[in-house]
Amino acid sequence: MDRLTQIKVVELRKKWGFDCYTPINLLQTAIDKIDNLTLIWMPLKENFGGCCYKNENNSLILINSNNSKGRQNFTIAHEIYHLLYDGKNFGMCEFNNKSRDENLANEFASGLLMPEYALYDFMSINNIEKWSIDDIIRCEQYYQIDHNVFLDRLKSDNLITDEEFLEFKKDIVKKATLMGYDVDLYLKSDEKHEFFSLGKIIPLTEKIYCDEKISKGKKRDILSSVFRQDISFMN
């Protein structure tokens, strides 16, 4: 990992109240710690992770609900890099984009979810000298990191061979199931959350409605536009 990127990871984790070993509930933490952040899920093309937009008052992250939960976590972390450290107001995350900025965002995202200290601490605590698929599943479940992202990281750190990399990619849902884990990490969003949103836009809409700055109809329109029809008719 780029040294400056590693420093950003450590400093942000510290600012948010985490050390370099503890897993992060990234979704809830991002909503709590990033001012005026809204996250929106919708199905997008396969090679597209998401995008982000920011101005002086608001931040938005769009997430591809066709991707696995692990990949969605990675996308959120990736877009956090753009929101906090990139001077641009808008950014798109395509998996085949190998630009320097995208590579830095990818390194940051992987490090934010599981810092280098955490990876080697996990190896030490669990006496891992040679990674097995069971070790990999335990580690990625603990840190809620995408399976393919984790394999890429192990391979780039020369902790697994090319042959192991290909072997460990196979049948991950079946293997995690047989180990007794919840496999949501490896699956795309369910039907209820295929179109969905969380974050600032919901309480903000409620506030301006209660302040009588918008009508009930307008409140419903706003919430429906961010796929929250489930609460658009709440009083």
PDB file of all heavy atoms in Angstrom, residues 8-9 11-12 46 62 72 74 81 84 86 140 142 144 153-154 169 191 206 212 214 217 224 229:
ATOM      1  N   LYS A   8      -3.460   7.789   5.687  1.00  0.00           N
ATOM      2  CA  LYS A   8      -4.860   8.229   5.627  1.00  0.00           C
ATOM      3  C   LYS A   8      -5.773   7.219   6.318  1.00  0.00           C
ATOM      4  O   LYS A   8      -6.694   7.592   7.068  1.00  0.00           O
ATOM      5  CB  LYS A   8      -5.289   8.418   4.171  1.00  0.00           C
ATOM      6  CG  LYS A   8      -4.716   9.634   3.475  1.00  0.00           C
ATOM      7  CD  LYS A   8      -5.300   9.756   2.073  1.00  0.00           C
ATOM      8  CE  LYS A   8      -4.908  11.061   1.395  1.00  0.00           C
ATOM      9  NZ  LYS A   8      -3.514  11.128   1.018  1.00  0.00           N
ATOM     10  N   VAL A   9      -5.517   5.931   6.066  1.00  0.00           N
ATOM     11  CA  VAL A   9      -6.321   4.881   6.694  1.00  0.00           C
ATOM     12  C   VAL A   9      -6.204   4.946   8.215  1.00  0.00           C
ATOM     13  O   VAL A   9      -7.213   4.933   8.940  1.00  0.00           O
ATOM     14  CB  VAL A   9      -5.874   3.489   6.185  1.00  0.00           C
ATOM     15  CG1 VAL A   9      -6.446   2.384   7.073  1.00  0.00           C
ATOM     16  CG2 VAL A   9      -6.308   3.275   4.743  1.00  0.00           C
ATOM     17  N   GLU A  11      -5.201   7.402  10.178  1.00  0.00           N
ATOM     18  CA  GLU A  11      -5.727   8.645  10.738  1.00  0.00           C
ATOM     19  C   GLU A  11      -7.250   8.671  10.728  1.00  0.00           C
ATOM     20  O   GLU A  11      -7.874   9.142  11.684  1.00  0.00           O
ATOM     21  CB  GLU A  11      -5.169   9.844   9.976  1.00  0.00           C
ATOM     22  CG  GLU A  11      -3.677  10.079  10.242  1.00  0.00           C
ATOM     23  CD  GLU A  11      -3.137  11.281   9.512  1.00  0.00           C
ATOM     24  OE1 GLU A  11      -3.821  11.769   8.565  1.00  0.00           O
ATOM     25  OE2 GLU A  11      -2.035  11.750   9.865  1.00  0.00           O
ATOM     26  N   LEU A  12      -7.860   8.172   9.648  1.00  0.00           N
ATOM     27  CA  LEU A  12      -9.326   8.178   9.590  1.00  0.00           C
ATOM     28  C   LEU A  12      -9.906   7.205  10.591  1.00  0.00           C
ATOM     29  O   LEU A  12     -10.891   7.519  11.278  1.00  0.00           O
ATOM     30  CB  LEU A  12      -9.805   7.837   8.182  1.00  0.00           C
ATOM     31  CG  LEU A  12     -11.330   7.934   7.988  1.00  0.00           C
ATOM     32  CD1 LEU A  12     -11.816   9.362   8.248  1.00  0.00           C
ATOM     33  CD2 LEU A  12     -11.738   7.471   6.591  1.00  0.00           C
ATOM     34  N   GLU A  46     -22.504  -4.832 -14.564  1.00  0.00           N
ATOM     35  CA  GLU A  46     -21.663  -5.754 -13.794  1.00  0.00           C
ATOM     36  C   GLU A  46     -20.297  -5.166 -13.454  1.00  0.00           C
ATOM     37  O   GLU A  46     -19.766  -5.415 -12.379  1.00  0.00           O
ATOM     38  CB  GLU A  46     -21.492  -7.053 -14.584  1.00  0.00           C
ATOM     39  CG  GLU A  46     -20.709  -8.125 -13.855  1.00  0.00           C
ATOM     40  CD  GLU A  46     -20.625  -9.409 -14.646  1.00  0.00           C
ATOM     41  OE1 GLU A  46     -21.357  -9.541 -15.640  1.00  0.00           O
ATOM     42  OE2 GLU A  46     -19.820 -10.285 -14.266  1.00  0.00           O
ATOM     43  N   LEU A  62     -23.561   6.188  -4.551  1.00  0.00           N
ATOM     44  CA  LEU A  62     -24.436   5.260  -5.271  1.00  0.00           C
ATOM     45  C   LEU A  62     -23.739   3.907  -5.334  1.00  0.00           C
ATOM     46  O   LEU A  62     -22.561   3.826  -5.697  1.00  0.00           O
ATOM     47  CB  LEU A  62     -24.711   5.778  -6.680  1.00  0.00           C
ATOM     48  CG  LEU A  62     -25.586   4.903  -7.585  1.00  0.00           C
ATOM     49  CD1 LEU A  62     -26.997   4.794  -7.018  1.00  0.00           C
ATOM     50  CD2 LEU A  62     -25.611   5.467  -9.002  1.00  0.00           C
ATOM     51  N   GLN A  72     -20.038  -4.465  -2.110  1.00  0.00           N
ATOM     52  CA  GLN A  72     -20.705  -3.207  -1.760  1.00  0.00           C
ATOM     53  C   GLN A  72     -19.958  -2.497  -0.634  1.00  0.00           C
ATOM     54  O   GLN A  72     -19.787  -1.271  -0.664  1.00  0.00           O
ATOM     55  CB  GLN A  72     -22.156  -3.471  -1.359  1.00  0.00           C
ATOM     56  CG  GLN A  72     -23.051  -3.902  -2.508  1.00  0.00           C
ATOM     57  CD  GLN A  72     -24.458  -4.226  -2.069  1.00  0.00           C
ATOM     58  OE1 GLN A  72     -24.938  -3.720  -1.053  1.00  0.00           O
ATOM     59  NE2 GLN A  72     -25.142  -5.070  -2.823  1.00  0.00           N
ATOM     60  N   PHE A  74     -16.828  -2.719  -0.050  1.00  0.00           N
ATOM     61  CA  PHE A  74     -15.618  -2.208  -0.677  1.00  0.00           C
ATOM     62  C   PHE A  74     -15.920  -0.931  -1.464  1.00  0.00           C
ATOM     63  O   PHE A  74     -15.146   0.038  -1.419  1.00  0.00           O
ATOM     64  CB  PHE A  74     -15.019  -3.267  -1.594  1.00  0.00           C
ATOM     65  CG  PHE A  74     -13.711  -2.866  -2.220  1.00  0.00           C
ATOM     66  CD1 PHE A  74     -12.531  -2.964  -1.504  1.00  0.00           C
ATOM     67  CD2 PHE A  74     -13.661  -2.395  -3.524  1.00  0.00           C
ATOM     68  CE1 PHE A  74     -11.318  -2.605  -2.076  1.00  0.00           C
ATOM     69  CE2 PHE A  74     -12.453  -2.030  -4.103  1.00  0.00           C
ATOM     70  CZ  PHE A  74     -11.281  -2.130  -3.383  1.00  0.00           C
ATOM     71  N   TYR A  81     -13.010   7.382   0.029  1.00  0.00           N
ATOM     72  CA  TYR A  81     -11.723   7.976  -0.359  1.00  0.00           C
ATOM     73  C   TYR A  81     -11.953   9.188  -1.267  1.00  0.00           C
ATOM     74  O   TYR A  81     -11.363  10.256  -1.061  1.00  0.00           O
ATOM     75  CB  TYR A  81     -10.853   6.944  -1.067  1.00  0.00           C
ATOM     76  CG  TYR A  81      -9.548   7.524  -1.587  1.00  0.00           C
ATOM     77  CD1 TYR A  81      -8.418   7.573  -0.778  1.00  0.00           C
ATOM     78  CD2 TYR A  81      -9.450   8.038  -2.889  1.00  0.00           C
ATOM     79  CE1 TYR A  81      -7.226   8.118  -1.238  1.00  0.00           C
ATOM     80  CE2 TYR A  81      -8.265   8.589  -3.355  1.00  0.00           C
ATOM     81  CZ  TYR A  81      -7.159   8.633  -2.524  1.00  0.00           C
ATOM     82  OH  TYR A  81      -5.990   9.192  -2.985  1.00  0.00           O
ATOM     83  N   LEU A  84     -13.544  12.187   0.691  1.00  0.00           N
ATOM     84  CA  LEU A  84     -12.725  12.850   1.709  1.00  0.00           C
ATOM     85  C   LEU A  84     -11.387  13.367   1.187  1.00  0.00           C
ATOM     86  O   LEU A  84     -10.851  14.346   1.724  1.00  0.00           O
ATOM     87  CB  LEU A  84     -12.480  11.888   2.874  1.00  0.00           C
ATOM     88  CG  LEU A  84     -13.714  11.404   3.634  1.00  0.00           C
ATOM     89  CD1 LEU A  84     -13.296  10.528   4.816  1.00  0.00           C
ATOM     90  CD2 LEU A  84     -14.581  12.561   4.112  1.00  0.00           C
ATOM     91  N   ASP A  86     -10.339  13.300  -2.468  1.00  0.00           N
ATOM     92  CA  ASP A  86     -10.274  13.638  -3.886  1.00  0.00           C
ATOM     93  C   ASP A  86     -10.897  15.019  -4.087  1.00  0.00           C
ATOM     94  O   ASP A  86     -12.007  15.274  -3.629  1.00  0.00           O
ATOM     95  CB  ASP A  86     -11.036  12.576  -4.693  1.00  0.00           C
ATOM     96  CG  ASP A  86     -10.796  12.684  -6.179  1.00  0.00           C
ATOM     97  OD1 ASP A  86     -10.457  13.787  -6.639  1.00  0.00           O
ATOM     98  OD2 ASP A  86     -10.959  11.678  -6.876  1.00  0.00           O
ATOM     99  N   GLU A 140     -12.239 -12.975   6.199  1.00  0.00           N
ATOM    100  CA  GLU A 140     -13.079 -12.049   5.430  1.00  0.00           C
ATOM    101  C   GLU A 140     -14.456 -11.876   6.076  1.00  0.00           C
ATOM    102  O   GLU A 140     -15.061 -10.805   5.994  1.00  0.00           O
ATOM    103  CB  GLU A 140     -13.196 -12.500   3.978  1.00  0.00           C
ATOM    104  CG  GLU A 140     -13.918 -13.800   3.753  1.00  0.00           C
ATOM    105  CD  GLU A 140     -13.660 -14.385   2.372  1.00  0.00           C
ATOM    106  OE1 GLU A 140     -12.725 -13.907   1.687  1.00  0.00           O
ATOM    107  OE2 GLU A 140     -14.380 -15.321   1.973  1.00  0.00           O
ATOM    108  N   TYR A 142     -14.895 -11.899   9.342  1.00  0.00           N
ATOM    109  CA  TYR A 142     -14.626 -11.046  10.505  1.00  0.00           C
ATOM    110  C   TYR A 142     -14.527  -9.584  10.095  1.00  0.00           C
ATOM    111  O   TYR A 142     -15.080  -8.707  10.770  1.00  0.00           O
ATOM    112  CB  TYR A 142     -13.344 -11.503  11.182  1.00  0.00           C
ATOM    113  CG  TYR A 142     -13.046 -10.801  12.486  1.00  0.00           C
ATOM    114  CD1 TYR A 142     -13.877 -10.957  13.598  1.00  0.00           C
ATOM    115  CD2 TYR A 142     -11.929  -9.995  12.622  1.00  0.00           C
ATOM    116  CE1 TYR A 142     -13.610 -10.324  14.798  1.00  0.00           C
ATOM    117  CE2 TYR A 142     -11.644  -9.360  13.824  1.00  0.00           C
ATOM    118  CZ  TYR A 142     -12.490  -9.524  14.905  1.00  0.00           C
ATOM    119  OH  TYR A 142     -12.217  -8.880  16.096  1.00  0.00           O
ATOM    120  N   GLN A 144     -15.569  -8.425   7.085  1.00  0.00           N
ATOM    121  CA  GLN A 144     -16.610  -8.116   6.106  1.00  0.00           C
ATOM    122  C   GLN A 144     -16.021  -7.516   4.828  1.00  0.00           C
ATOM    123  O   GLN A 144     -16.491  -6.501   4.302  1.00  0.00           O
ATOM    124  CB  GLN A 144     -17.659  -7.182   6.717  1.00  0.00           C
ATOM    125  CG  GLN A 144     -18.537  -7.838   7.768  1.00  0.00           C
ATOM    126  CD  GLN A 144     -19.482  -8.881   7.184  1.00  0.00           C
ATOM    127  OE1 GLN A 144     -20.461  -8.539   6.526  1.00  0.00           O
ATOM    128  NE2 GLN A 144     -19.179 -10.155   7.411  1.00  0.00           N
ATOM    129  N   ARG A 153      -5.535  -9.270  -2.502  1.00  0.00           N
ATOM    130  CA  ARG A 153      -4.592  -8.717  -1.533  1.00  0.00           C
ATOM    131  C   ARG A 153      -3.594  -9.771  -1.059  1.00  0.00           C
ATOM    132  O   ARG A 153      -2.390  -9.504  -0.966  1.00  0.00           O
ATOM    133  CB  ARG A 153      -5.377  -8.148  -0.354  1.00  0.00           C
ATOM    134  CG  ARG A 153      -4.511  -7.458   0.669  1.00  0.00           C
ATOM    135  CD  ARG A 153      -5.346  -6.560   1.501  1.00  0.00           C
ATOM    136  NE  ARG A 153      -4.668  -6.138   2.697  1.00  0.00           N
ATOM    137  CZ  ARG A 153      -5.240  -5.404   3.648  1.00  0.00           C
ATOM    138  NH1 ARG A 153      -6.484  -5.010   3.501  1.00  0.00           N
ATOM    139  NH2 ARG A 153      -4.576  -5.052   4.717  1.00  0.00           N
ATOM    140  N   LEU A 154      -4.072 -10.963  -0.773  1.00  0.00           N
ATOM    141  CA  LEU A 154      -3.178 -12.036  -0.357  1.00  0.00           C
ATOM    142  C   LEU A 154      -2.179 -12.371  -1.461  1.00  0.00           C
ATOM    143  O   LEU A 154      -0.995 -12.613  -1.192  1.00  0.00           O
ATOM    144  CB  LEU A 154      -3.981 -13.279   0.023  1.00  0.00           C
ATOM    145  CG  LEU A 154      -4.845 -13.185   1.285  1.00  0.00           C
ATOM    146  CD1 LEU A 154      -5.647 -14.472   1.482  1.00  0.00           C
ATOM    147  CD2 LEU A 154      -4.007 -12.899   2.522  1.00  0.00           C
ATOM    148  N   LYS A 169     -10.968 -19.254  -5.350  1.00  0.00           N
ATOM    149  CA  LYS A 169     -12.093 -18.525  -5.933  1.00  0.00           C
ATOM    150  C   LYS A 169     -13.337 -19.399  -6.096  1.00  0.00           C
ATOM    151  O   LYS A 169     -14.455 -18.902  -6.184  1.00  0.00           O
ATOM    152  CB  LYS A 169     -11.708 -17.961  -7.315  1.00  0.00           C
ATOM    153  CG  LYS A 169     -10.973 -16.640  -7.288  1.00  0.00           C
ATOM    154  CD  LYS A 169     -10.672 -16.167  -8.705  1.00  0.00           C
ATOM    155  CE  LYS A 169     -10.110 -14.754  -8.706  1.00  0.00           C
ATOM    156  NZ  LYS A 169     -11.145 -13.745  -8.417  1.00  0.00           N
ATOM    157  N   GLU A 191     -34.317  -8.751  -2.813  1.00  0.00           N
ATOM    158  CA  GLU A 191     -35.303  -7.965  -3.561  1.00  0.00           C
ATOM    159  C   GLU A 191     -35.732  -6.705  -2.806  1.00  0.00           C
ATOM    160  O   GLU A 191     -35.910  -5.642  -3.403  1.00  0.00           O
ATOM    161  CB  GLU A 191     -36.528  -8.840  -3.857  1.00  0.00           C
ATOM    162  CG  GLU A 191     -37.571  -8.162  -4.724  1.00  0.00           C
ATOM    163  CD  GLU A 191     -38.714  -9.090  -5.078  1.00  0.00           C
ATOM    164  OE1 GLU A 191     -38.598 -10.318  -4.848  1.00  0.00           O
ATOM    165  OE2 GLU A 191     -39.731  -8.591  -5.584  1.00  0.00           O
ATOM    166  N   GLU A 206     -37.942  14.535   6.577  1.00  0.00           N
ATOM    167  CA  GLU A 206     -38.896  14.565   7.681  1.00  0.00           C
ATOM    168  C   GLU A 206     -38.876  15.911   8.396  1.00  0.00           C
ATOM    169  O   GLU A 206     -39.923  16.459   8.756  1.00  0.00           O
ATOM    170  CB  GLU A 206     -38.583  13.430   8.663  1.00  0.00           C
ATOM    171  CG  GLU A 206     -39.554  13.312   9.831  1.00  0.00           C
ATOM    172  CD  GLU A 206     -40.954  12.923   9.411  1.00  0.00           C
ATOM    173  OE1 GLU A 206     -41.118  12.383   8.296  1.00  0.00           O
ATOM    174  OE2 GLU A 206     -41.891  13.159  10.200  1.00  0.00           O
ATOM    175  N   GLU A 212     -43.053  22.412   8.053  1.00  0.00           N
ATOM    176  CA  GLU A 212     -44.054  22.899   7.098  1.00  0.00           C
ATOM    177  C   GLU A 212     -43.441  23.655   5.915  1.00  0.00           C
ATOM    178  O   GLU A 212     -44.025  24.573   5.366  1.00  0.00           O
ATOM    179  CB  GLU A 212     -45.093  23.776   7.818  1.00  0.00           C
ATOM    180  CG  GLU A 212     -45.847  23.024   8.904  1.00  0.00           C
ATOM    181  CD  GLU A 212     -46.930  23.868   9.561  1.00  0.00           C
ATOM    182  OE1 GLU A 212     -46.921  25.101   9.369  1.00  0.00           O
ATOM    183  OE2 GLU A 212     -47.774  23.291  10.244  1.00  0.00           O
ATOM    184  N   ILE A 214     -42.419  21.820   3.210  1.00  0.00           N
ATOM    185  CA  ILE A 214     -42.901  21.061   2.061  1.00  0.00           C
ATOM    186  C   ILE A 214     -44.215  20.389   2.443  1.00  0.00           C
ATOM    187  O   ILE A 214     -44.513  20.189   3.627  1.00  0.00           O
ATOM    188  CB  ILE A 214     -41.895  19.983   1.605  1.00  0.00           C
ATOM    189  CG1 ILE A 214     -41.600  18.985   2.724  1.00  0.00           C
ATOM    190  CG2 ILE A 214     -40.618  20.614   1.075  1.00  0.00           C
ATOM    191  CD1 ILE A 214     -40.770  17.781   2.282  1.00  0.00           C
ATOM    192  N   GLY A 217     -47.396  15.610   0.114  1.00  0.00           N
ATOM    193  CA  GLY A 217     -47.195  15.043  -1.213  1.00  0.00           C
ATOM    194  C   GLY A 217     -45.753  15.161  -1.669  1.00  0.00           C
ATOM    195  O   GLY A 217     -45.199  14.231  -2.262  1.00  0.00           O
ATOM    196  N   SER A 224     -39.948   8.651  -2.335  1.00  0.00           N
ATOM    197  CA  SER A 224     -40.116   7.680  -3.426  1.00  0.00           C
ATOM    198  C   SER A 224     -38.974   7.772  -4.429  1.00  0.00           C
ATOM    199  O   SER A 224     -38.554   6.761  -5.002  1.00  0.00           O
ATOM    200  CB  SER A 224     -41.454   7.905  -4.135  1.00  0.00           C
ATOM    201  OG  SER A 224     -42.536   7.625  -3.275  1.00  0.00           O
ATOM    202  N   GLN A 229     -40.340   4.037  -0.589  1.00  0.00           N
ATOM    203  CA  GLN A 229     -41.787   4.028  -0.557  1.00  0.00           C
ATOM    204  C   GLN A 229     -42.318   3.399   0.713  1.00  0.00           C
ATOM    205  O   GLN A 229     -43.444   3.678   1.125  1.00  0.00           O
ATOM    206  CB  GLN A 229     -42.334   3.246  -1.785  1.00  0.00           C
ATOM    207  CG  GLN A 229     -42.051   3.904  -3.107  1.00  0.00           C
ATOM    208  CD  GLN A 229     -40.719   3.494  -3.729  1.00  0.00           C
ATOM    209  OE1 GLN A 229     -39.821   3.031  -3.025  1.00  0.00           O
ATOM    210  NE2 GLN A 229     -40.581   3.644  -5.035  1.00  0.00           N
TER     211      GLN A 229
END
